[in-house]
Amino acid sequence: MSAHAADAARRISARDLRARKGREPIVCLTAYTTPMAEIMDEVCDLLLVGDSVGMVLHGLPNTVGVTMEMMILHGQAVMRASRRAMVVVDMPFGSYEASRESAYENAVRILKETGAQAVKLESGPEVAGTIAYLTRRGVPVMGHVGLRPQAVLMDGAFKARGRNAAEAACVMAEAKATVEAGAFCIVVEGVAEALATQITEMVRVPTIGIGASAGCDGQILVTEDMLGLFDWTPKFVRRYADLRGDIAKAVAAYAADVRSGAFPGVEETYFATAKG
Ligand code: KIV
């Protein structure tokens, strides 16, 4: 077996994650780059190359403008550094809605060109047929219900869902349709605790919450949010670092050293040797 094949054999799989339901919390974070994936691979069960990359790294206002090429490039970067965690790549807006066949082609392209183990798509009854089509043809699918960021143009904003009975029934229907169609796992985003717990109890696959309480089988956050890279974070994010503050201090110190002539110093300078 080649080293590459051996690596693949050691990775956490969709089957492993399903077996954790109700037994062991599943630790997930987003990853978009090689150095970050290298650090996170040791401790995370699942790295999601989320289409949030468009907002986090590319300055887009939402995820609608994210392309297949962006997802593939970042998926490849994450796969280069990870060995242990399961890697899932988001299908961008417009890549899976038109037809089951085109969704299959795009999903297979993502899996082949990145080496990732699964794709994620924002799901509900309207794409259940597509999920079934993909999973029956060997494409593992992670669903995503509740707040679905790719619907921002219809919804007008990123809004928590399921706060009244009608909306809660709608989110339950999304989860049911997604799981019955064959998804191995679902992200549940931006819903109240009671609904997250109800969904988690209803479905046989793990639920991964983001802004969806401890009622889920696992948790995911956008890594840069929890590292404190931005000056604002949503209520459901806990900041584990102050990257923004640390970077600002480091950049200011560097600028001061360059301006004062303190950098580069003798330690950072090459000198010619005596022999020419
Ligand atoms: O794109 C993303 O990062 C996501 C997570 C927030 C679940 O979908």
Side-chain angles (χ1 to χ4, degrees), residues 8-234:
R10 277 197 298 275
R11 275 187 194 271
I12 293 171
S13 66
R15 185 184 286 255
D16 296 330
L17 288 191
R18 281 186 69 156
R20 298 250 190 115
K21 183 169 175 82
R23 292 190 182 162
E24 200 186 330
I26 300 168
V27 179
C28 315
L29 279 172
T30 59
Y32 319 120
T33 65
T34 301
M36 292 295 282
E38 194 173 357
I39 297 168
M40 292 188 283
D41 185 54
E42 281 290 305
V43 290
C44 291
D45 300 314
L46 185 149
L47 297 177
L48 173 69
V49 186
D51 60 355
S52 53
V53 68
M55 299 169 75
V56 175
L57 294 192
H58 296 273
L60 296 176
N62 53 51
T63 57
V64 172
V66 174
T67 62
M68 283 284 291
E69 285 64 33
M70 286 163 80
M71 296 315 303
I72 287 171
L73 208 64
H74 288 285
Q76 290 168 339
V78 168
M79 283 300 294
R80 263 176 222 128
S82 61
R83 297 280 173 272
R84 180 189 158 275
M86 175 167 198
V87 175
V88 179
V89 178
D90 253 338
M91 296 195 71
F93 179 65
S95 69
Y96 58 93
E97 299 89 337
S99 70
R100 295 162 193 203
E101 291 77 10
S102 64
Y104 179 75
E105 273 172 26
N106 285 326
V108 167
R109 185 174 163 215
I110 288 173
L111 297 185
K112 279 183 190 279
E113 293 186 27
T114 65
Q117 292 143 288
V119 294
K120 175 166 85 59
L121 48 83
E122 297 186 8
S123 56
E126 68 289 354
V127 291
T130 298
I131 297 174
Y133 189 89
L134 297 186
T135 54
R136 285 192 202 122
R137 286 161 180 77
V139 177
V141 175
M142 185 177 199
H144 184 151
V145 305
L147 191 167
R148 296 181 295 179
Q150 291 177 7
V152 67
L153 298 182
M154 296 297 282
D155 296 345
F158 297 124
K159 277 192 295 210
R161 289 187 65 216
R163 294 205 178 171
N164 59 49
E167 259 199 11
C170 211
V171 178
M172 287 288 279
E174 288 168 7
K176 195 163 182 284
T178 301
V179 173
E180 282 175 358
F184 70 90
C185 188
I186 39 175
V187 167
V188 180
E189 178 163 0
V191 307
E193 183 181 28
L195 179 57
T197 305
Q198 230 182 323
I199 293 172
T200 301
E201 285 169 359
M202 174 185 72
V203 299
R204 58 182 185 275
V205 303
T207 55
I208 307 297
I210 173 161
S213 85
C216 296
D217 296 305
Q219 297 294 326
I220 186 163
L221 285 174
V222 169
T223 303
E224 285 73 2
D225 276 345
M226 72 97 176
L227 292 179
L229 187 60
F230 302 112
D231 51 8
W232 177 84
T233 44

